[in-house]
Structures are given as C-alpha cells and as structure tokens.
Amino acid sequence: MKKKEEKTLDTIITRRDFMRGTALGTLGLTLGLFDVESLAIPPPVAEKRGDSTEPVKSRTVLIRNQKVLGDGNVVDKKILADMLDKGMMGFAETKDAASAWKEFFHPSDVVGVKINLMVTPTHDELIELIVENLLGIGIKDENIFVWDRDQIGVGKKEMFSRPRRFGFDKDHLNKVVKKCTALINVPGMKSHWLSGVALSIKNWAGAVNNARVYHTEDCCSSLGELCTIPQIKAKNRLIIMDALRPLFHGGPSVDPKYLWNYNGLIIGKDHAAADTIALKVIQRQRSRYKREEWMISPPPLHVALADMRYKVGTSDLRLIDLVKLGWQKDALI
Amino acid sequence: MSNFLPAGGDGWVKSGEMEVYDRNNLFDYMDGGAELYLAYDFQKLVVQRYSSGSTDASKGNSITVEIYQMNSSPDAYGLFSFDQEGEMVELGQKGVYGYGLLKFWKDRYLVRILGSQPDLRETILRLGGDVDEKIRGEGALPELLSKIPKDDLIPNSDHFFHKQILLNNLYFLSDKNILNLTDKTDCLLADFGFDGETLKLLLVEYPDLSQAKNAYQSFNNLYLKGEASETDKIVKIEQGKLVEADLKENYLLLVFEGTDRDIVLQLLDSVKNSLRQGGVSSQ
C-alpha cells in the first residue's frame, strides 16, 4: 500500500484527490481528510517489541494549562515549568521530572537546543526552562548551545543574546550540530503559506544554509529529508513544540488575528507524529474560526511524506499513542 | 525609503537601528516567508521598531513598521491582496486593520505596521498616516483587475499574483504546476456570489496564445482527465461540483465550485464579455 501511495505522490496530486478523500489513503488520513473508520486500507504495520504482538506506538504527549498565558499573553513561567515537568514525566513515564530528562540526556552530553527565531519564535520562558532542566541533571553550562540558523548562545548567559557565529560546513549544516552529542528540537507551532505548516520537521530548515532548496512549489514535499541528515537523525533525542500561542493561517509573517491561545506543549521524539498531532489541531482551529471546513493550504504533504517517503516516524494516528494531559477544553484532538 | 519612516511621537521612540533587506538577504528576516515577497518581485525592505517609555522594544509595548518596495505597483497591490480580511481603513490606496496589524499599499510599496498589543490601534493608525503622507505617488492597479466584471464580485475577495506557489496557498489545485504559471503570467483569483452560491474564478493572462493553449490542454488533461471538449466545457467532478475551463485569446478562464450549470455559464459569459470590451471600470 505504501509503495502505491508513493508512486502516486511521484506523479501528481490534485484538489480532486482531496475531494475524493479516501483516494489518498494514509496521506489523506494524516491531512485529516477523513476518519480512520472510513479507511478501507489495511491496518498499519509497526515495529514490534520483543514477543509482544501489539505494534509499538509512537508516544506523543500533549499538555495544556488554561492559565499559562496571562494578561497580554504573558507567560506564567511557574505554570509553564509545571507543564514541562508533567509533560516530560508523561512522555518518559517516570515519577519525577529529573528522571525524565535523564532518560534522554547524560551529564557528559553537549546539547544543542534548536529553537525557532522566525516571526513566531519559541517563547523565551520555554527556552530558559529547558536550559535549567539540562543544568539540573548535571550538564555543564558551557555544553549547552541555544541556537537557530547561525545565531548561537553558549550557556544560560547567552541563551537570549545568541552572539556567536559558528558558520556552516560544506554540507550546508551548521557547525554547532557537529559540536553537539545531542539535540532538542523546540519549534513554534504555526501554519506556513508555502508548506502548509511549519512544525518540528521544518524547524530543521534553520540548521542548514540551503533551506531554499526545500522551499519548493510542490508544497515543500521534501522537507522530511532534513530529518534524515545523519547528524540530525542520530542526535535528535527530544521534540518540545511550543504550542502556547500558535498561528493557524498565513505564516511565517504574523497576522495577529490568526493567533490563538492554545496553551499547550507537544512533547515527543517522533517528528512525523508530533507534527501530525499539531497539524490536526491547526486544521480544526481553522475550521472553527471560519465555521466551515477551511483546509490548510497548501496541504502539508511533507508531514505524511516524512513518514511515507523518508521513514522518519509515523503520521498514522493509529500508530500514535497520544497522551493528553492537563486542560482538555478545546483541545481539538 | 528610510524617509518614509515615522519619527514616532506621543512618547513613542525608535528602538534600535533601522534594518534594511534586499532580495539577497530577505531570508535573514523571514526565512520561508521570503518566497512570498520574491514572488511579487520584491526589491527592498526597511524595518524600524518603536517602543513607548523605553528605547528597548523588548520591554513594554512595541510597534514594528515594515515598508516593502516592489518593482511595480501592481505587485504591491498583489502582495496586499494576498489577505484583505479586516476593517477597511482610509490609508494608502487601500488599507485594512485588525488585531494590532495595519496593512496598506500605495505606489510601489506595501506597508505593514504591527503592534505588540491590539489596544495600540490609535498609535498604529497614526504612524500609518505618517507613512502614507510621506509616500507621495500613487500606483496603477493590475490591469487584469479591470478586465473582470464587477457585478456579483464579492468585495475584497480578489487576489492578484503570478506563480504557482501563490496559487497553491490561495486555492490549492495541484502539487505540480499544471497551469504552467511563471513570473510572466498574471493571475487573478476572485469569488463571485450568485443567489447563495459562491463561484471561484481564476483568470490567467499568458504572454501569448500558444502558452495559453498549452495551459488549457495541460489543465484539461491533468485536472479534468480530458473530459472538457469544444462542445461542452463544463465538467462535473467530485462532490457534484462543476468546473469550467475556457480560452479567450491569451486568457485562460477557469471557474470552480459551481453546482448550477446556468450560473457557471453566466459567470463565464460575463467574464468573456468583459474581456471583449477590454475591461470595465476599474476598482
């Protein structure tokens, strides 16, 4: 089935495929065009663990708190800290936050915190909390790099000013990636006029200096390739998506009428899974705003293709173990 | 362009240095958003931040003024028309405001003024007025806009553009460039309302007849599966929707979202008449 879908994608996708719905199979499912129940495609086959007959699902945590954004959308750092702790514990299935962080990082690690600076940037409070948690498990301050593109800060003192420039190697990858032993992907959550959405997969466009080659007129279908860059694939250990105040239309240039307080974080390790959850939320917010179906345009094909073509996770909801914590109202998923 | 920037006033002062971007480094300002502006033949951008009570825009309220210079006024309008939702304001040649964002176009320029809070409306409009006064000239609208009928046109629903990446965002047709759009094609997408039915018109002007014919054939083959014919140009597709494709000289006319054949034909005839007459009164 997947081979057949890939072949289709290599030919042409039209609006009519979306109108037909199920014709797109798993791709349509990812894009939220129809429900699982209406699919006439075989159940997904996932990697199995040990002797278990149950497929291993990709665990992804959505945690929200109604009060994390106050007047003027100012972040309550204490509440956000609590969200991050509980989200990490929910993801790692540990009893305390420090143990959760230790599941992914060792005190000897050199960690690159890949934030997003573009127009709807990762909130400073979230960056600071991530750095504090890394310090808390014994990672040295000088071994923490907060960065996007070629703006790099070393340690807590430089996490907001990011004054350093390491430059890019011949393979287009920022040298900071090579200095690190581990990476955390901390994207904002937003729609994007060229790729449909800009989430954890697209956040890696800020790790290279040839991002334009991925900004193609076919809905940026090859963005998933970024996750297959060996240094990124091998080192990325965590995704913490800033879903506090996402953008549901336009992007990356912000029109404030398309921002809304979702008050959430999405935590996982699987790029396709985290982005699938986020794009479904964005899709539902769009339709809620217009009070009619208002599809993400262009369709974010790259999320499904990250799974189907580049094999960097799952975009099939049936293979995503979504753990919803905290505030549930208007979770939209 | 730095002359167009407002001085501030009423406690508002410039915060930081003015930033200037051109076609080569616009990506430094907006990464993936740059293609949008480049698709409208962007030339230059100046950005100036303002703050109240402090020279540091990161503390307290802030306002960002962006002035984009395009190569032509139709492209400045096109960039403006990308999203015209909001409260209409009398600034520039056309302007909208909403939730702390003011946007207007004038001459070859698109001006965006974004406040950190929606309650900065008065200050944002005042700063916008300053910029408006300083841009002395006015620019022509896209010619294509004068070539569509105005009866039944839904106000502010028109979008002017050239390339596939814009069409993809405004009305996704295909991940492939099945209409052969380039920076040499002028496109107008607009909604028309008829008795509760909303039709979408896509009018494309190609450089010559042969390119228009090729695009028609490509669309008929790849989108309509070859079902449009000389005798019947309306094709019923999924969900009972009708699509009509037609050519008029070097113009490709496409109508989407119809459900009533008579209404689809009525719109197409109206557009063809308008083209035949060389356009009607401009907006």
Side-chain angles (χ1 to χ4, degrees):
Chain A
M1 176 53 66
K2 285 197 170 185
K3 273 191 175 174
K4 186 180 174 187
E5 285 164 358
E6 281 177 13
K7 189 179 175 190
T8 304
L9 293 169
D10 286 340
T11 53
I12 185 169
I13 295 175
T14 73
R15 187 178 198 87
R16 295 184 66 177
D17 292 315
F18 289 81
M19 294 169 83
R20 275 195 296 274
T22 53
L24 286 171
T26 306
L27 174 64
L29 182 64
T30 302
L31 300 175
L33 300 174
F34 42 82
D35 296 327
V36 172
E37 291 74 22
S38 67
L39 272 183
I41 63 173
V45 178
E47 182 189 343
K48 291 180 180 177
R49 183 184 291 154
D51 296 331
S52 169
T53 55
E54 289 295 311
V56 178
K57 290 189 172 183
S58 188
R59 190 175 182 85
T60 304
V61 169
L62 167 64
I63 184 161
R64 298 170 67 228
N65 188 301
Q66 188 177 7
K67 295 180 179 173
V68 69
L69 295 176
D71 290 344
N73 300 313
V74 173
V75 175
D76 185 320
K77 193 182 163 193
K78 195 174 170 189
I79 293 176
L80 185 62
D82 184 61
M83 287 170 64
L84 185 58
D85 285 352
K86 288 176 177 163
M88 285 296 294
M89 288 154 59
F91 180 55
E93 298 182 85
T94 59
K95 289 184 178 173
D96 64 271
S99 301
W101 285 92
K102 285 176 188 168
E103 287 281 318
F104 306 102
F105 305 99
H106 187 270
S108 63
D109 270 325
V110 178
V111 183
V113 182
K114 170 64 180 72
I115 60 170
N116 190 276
L117 290 175
M118 283 294 148
V119 193
T120 44
T122 310
H123 282 87
D124 283 350
E125 294 84 354
L126 181 58
I127 296 168
E128 189 169 16
L129 285 167
I130 289 170
V131 170
E132 286 171 358
N133 275 286
L134 293 172
L135 291 169
I137 60 166
I139 294 173
K140 290 178 183 170
D141 187 68
E142 64 266 31
N143 285 344
I144 299 172
F145 298 98
V146 176
W147 64 286
D148 185 24
R149 300 156 74 88
D150 197 23
Q151 299 177 37
I152 300 151
V154 179
K156 196 170 181 185
K157 193 176 174 184
E158 293 180 1
M159 66 185 166
F160 298 140
S161 58
R162 297 177 288 270
R164 304 189 194 224
R165 307 287 178 264
F166 291 175
F168 295 85
D169 267 334
K170 284 181 183 172
D171 61 1
H172 301 290
L173 195 59
N174 194 291
K175 290 176 181 171
V176 70
V177 177
K178 295 176 184 178
K179 288 179 187 287
C180 294
T181 59
L183 298 168
I184 311 179
N185 188 347
V186 194
M189 177 170 155
K190 59 192 167 210
S191 58
H192 193 281
W193 77 281
L194 196 55
S195 57
V197 292
L199 305 165
S200 72
I201 295 167
K202 193 175 183 311
N203 198 32
W204 292 120
V208 295
N209 66 353
N210 65 338
R212 287 192 74 177
V213 304
Y214 298 97
H215 291 154
T216 49
E217 64 180 21
D218 64 345
C219 314
C220 306
S221 69
S222 63
L223 279 169
E225 191 177 303
L226 288 161
C227 303
T228 69
I229 294 171
Q231 296 268 349
I232 290 175
K233 189 176 181 183
K235 294 177 180 177
N236 189 64
R237 297 189 191 165
L238 196 58
I239 297 163
I240 301 176
M241 193 184 302
D242 182 341
L244 294 172
R245 193 165 154 76
L247 183 71
F248 63 89
H249 181 64
S253 297
V254 171
D255 185 332
K257 66 176 175 279
Y258 301 127
L259 291 165
W260 94 107
N261 290 5
Y262 187 62
N263 298 22
L265 297 174
I266 295 173
I267 300 175
K269 194 176 173 182
D270 177 331
H271 288 89
D275 286 12
T276 296
I277 298 300
L279 84 80
K280 283 182 179 297
V281 171
I282 289 173
Q283 178 57 65
R284 285 168 188 167
Q285 171 61 17
R286 287 169 65 90
S287 298
R288 189 168 74 149
Y289 176 84
K290 284 258 182 168
R291 297 181 181 177
E292 62 183 24
E293 190 177 50
W294 187 27
M295 293 300 295
I296 297 173
S297 191
L301 303 179
H302 73 273
V303 177
L305 292 176
D307 167 2
M308 295 156 61
R309 184 185 289 165
Y310 298 106
K311 316 291 182 197
V312 293
T314 181
S315 62
D316 189 329
L317 266 186
R318 294 167 296 179
L319 290 174
I320 299 172
D321 176 18
L322 176 62
V323 180
K324 294 198 292 180
L325 302 172
W327 188 40
Q328 298 295 313
K329 188 170 183 289
D330 296 328
L332 305 178
I333 192 160
Chain B
M1 283 170 65
S2 58
N3 297 337
F4 298 156
L5 289 170
D10 285 348
W12 286 84
V13 294
K14 289 181 179 176
S15 169
E17 295 295 312
M18 177 184 75
E19 296 167 30
V20 181
Y21 299 91
D22 59 23
R23 293 178 65 85
N24 295 319
N25 67 356
L26 186 61
F27 289 87
D28 293 340
Y29 186 61
M30 59 180 65
D31 195 11
E35 277 93 349
L36 169 64
Y37 297 87
L38 294 173
Y40 283 109
D41 208 359
F42 163 85
Q43 300 296 310
K44 190 176 174 185
L45 162 67
V46 296
V47 182
Q48 178 66 61
R49 292 175 179 82
Y50 296 80
S51 61
S52 66
S54 163
T55 52
D56 183 352
S58 67
K59 295 184 174 66
N61 286 332
S62 66
I63 291 175
T64 303
V65 176
E66 301 170 342
I67 304 175
Y68 297 83
Q69 183 189 342
M70 303 296 133
N71 194 38
S72 71
S73 63
D75 277 341
Y77 176 78
L79 188 53
F80 171 82
S81 74
F82 193 68
D83 185 351
Q84 300 189 51
E85 263 196 37
E87 168 201 349
M88 289 294 150
V89 292
E90 290 189 4
L91 285 173
Q93 292 181 251
K94 195 174 184 184
V96 290
Y97 175 85
Y99 296 89
L101 174 66
L102 168 68
K103 203 173 72 162
F104 68 84
W105 81 280
K106 190 175 184 184
D107 196 2
R108 289 187 294 155
Y109 304 97
L110 177 87
V111 179
R112 278 180 103 251
I113 303 183
L114 178 64
S116 59
Q117 300 295 335
D119 60 8
L120 297 173
R121 183 179 187 280
E122 295 309 314
T123 306
I124 290 168
L125 292 180
R126 180 176 62 76
L127 295 178
D130 288 352
V131 181
D132 185 17
E133 265 184 31
K134 289 173 177 172
I135 301 174
R136 295 294 172 91
E138 290 212 342
L141 284 162
E143 213 179 314
L144 212 50
L145 205 54
S146 69
K147 293 179 178 174
I148 58 169
K150 298 299 179 289
D151 293 343
D152 308 309
L153 172 66
I154 295 176
N156 308 319
S157 71
D158 58 290
H159 306 284
F160 175 72
F161 58 96
H162 304 284
K163 296 170 79 173
Q164 158 82 357
I165 52 172
L166 274 305
L167 176 62
N168 257 354
N169 182 276
L170 295 165
Y171 190 73
F172 175 77
L173 274 187
S174 173
D175 63 327
K176 305 293 186 296
N177 187 5
I178 60 175
L179 296 178
N180 304 330
L181 301 182
T182 69
D183 52 8
K184 297 283 189 288
T185 46
D186 284 353
C187 310
L188 193 65
L189 182 70
D191 294 342
F192 290 79
F194 297 90
D195 298 327
E197 183 159 346
T198 301
L199 301 185
K200 205 167 273 296
L201 169 73
L202 176 59
L203 179 63
V204 185
E205 182 178 5
Y206 289 88
D208 56 52
L209 179 62
S210 122
Q211 290 184 52
K213 278 184 176 173
N214 286 342
Y216 173 83
Q217 281 168 4
S218 167
F219 181 76
N220 189 23
N221 290 339
L222 297 172
Y223 196 81
L224 298 178
K225 313 295 182 195
E227 290 179 33
S229 66
E230 277 299 313
T231 52
D232 190 1
K233 291 171 177 168
I234 297 181
V235 175
K236 192 171 193 173
I237 63 167
E238 292 73 17
Q239 300 175 1
K241 294 288 173 71
L242 302 174
V243 176
E244 175 155 12
D246 208 346
L247 275 176
K248 170 78 179 162
E249 297 165 354
N250 59 323
Y251 297 92
L252 175 64
L253 295 75
L254 303 175
V255 175
F256 300 94
E257 304 293 334
T259 56
D260 183 319
R261 289 180 74 90
D262 291 339
I263 290 177
V264 172
L265 286 170
Q266 183 188 333
L267 175 59
L268 246 294
D269 286 346
S270 172
V271 176
K272 282 178 163 178
N273 281 336
S274 184
L275 287 171
R276 197 173 298 125
Q277 290 162 14
V280 291
S281 58
S282 62
Q283 200 177 49

